[in-house]
Amino acid sequence: PRLTSFLQCVRSRGDLMASRLRWVVASFLAFSVAGWASSDHACAKDRQPESGAPLHTILELETTARLLAILLDSGRNVINENQGLFDDQGKTEQRLTPEVFERQLLDIFHSRSGTDLRDLEAARIPAGAKKLLKELVLLSKQVVAEAQPEINRPGGGHKEFIPAIFGARVATRFTERTHVRLKQTALAPRNPLNAPDAVERTALEAFADPSYPREKVISEVTAKSGSLHLMFPLYTTRKCLDCHGDPKGELDRSGYPREGLRLGQNAGAISVVIPIRP
């Protein structure tokens, strides 16, 4: 009875009061969705879209950017895990062919993201993400195919086709082909081309804090940039420490000073920038 009386009162006060009620409900729903979406992500602008794009568009772009970062890092992981095969001339029967690389890439990505790229059409992810992920797999496989002379070079010893080199080659091609920028970056990168910009530096400083939640991304959307910028943190593995661990300052096998990193420590990030199209 009270609800009926309330609705009759609203109707008796005309369309103005009704429109206000609809505004309140819509606002409540919008803030509820925004709160849910931010539970797994950290947004530099508190998830207030300044671009004028609908909230669902921002959320889809953020999902896409995160999946792209995971896929690129999964490829880096495959190279990392197979580094011993490159360096050991006695393991030629286990060479990392493009086909073997793709199989391992899809397995790792599936385990990390829950998305099976072998059945991409059935995946419950944005349509734009499907297209970009398919392109990234193709380019990753091409980079490994072209690196076969490096990978299978006769003789043992350190090979230059390492995760960072793989990531750089793939990121460059992907950016050129799609206009979605992929970049590996760190506070003190070995490659000057990977130096962070102001937005990236702020995120990297947050990632460097040991208390920062593991793999929690930072994303930002602004009208000025007209794009979504997502930072995905990276962490050291045991194989990473062969070149980036202790003793700090001592030259590693590739001639770079070791950074003295520890197992599981933040080692930089993958930066993804996706243009927003109204």
Side-chain angles (χ1 to χ4, degrees), residues 200-230:
E200 292 166 344
R201 178 169 292 279
T202 298
L204 288 167
E205 289 171 349
F207 294 155
D209 184 344
S211 65
Y212 190 85
R214 190 175 179 86
E215 290 198 3
K216 186 174 184 179
V217 305
I218 292 178
S219 63
E220 177 182 77
V221 178
T222 61
K224 182 178 180 181
S225 67
S227 60
L228 178 139
H229 194 161
L230 181 138

Side-chain angles (χ1 to χ4, degrees), residues 14 58 71 74 96 136 143 155 248:
I58 301 302
L71 184 56
S74 296
L96 185 68
L136 186 54
V143 166
K248 183 176 181 179

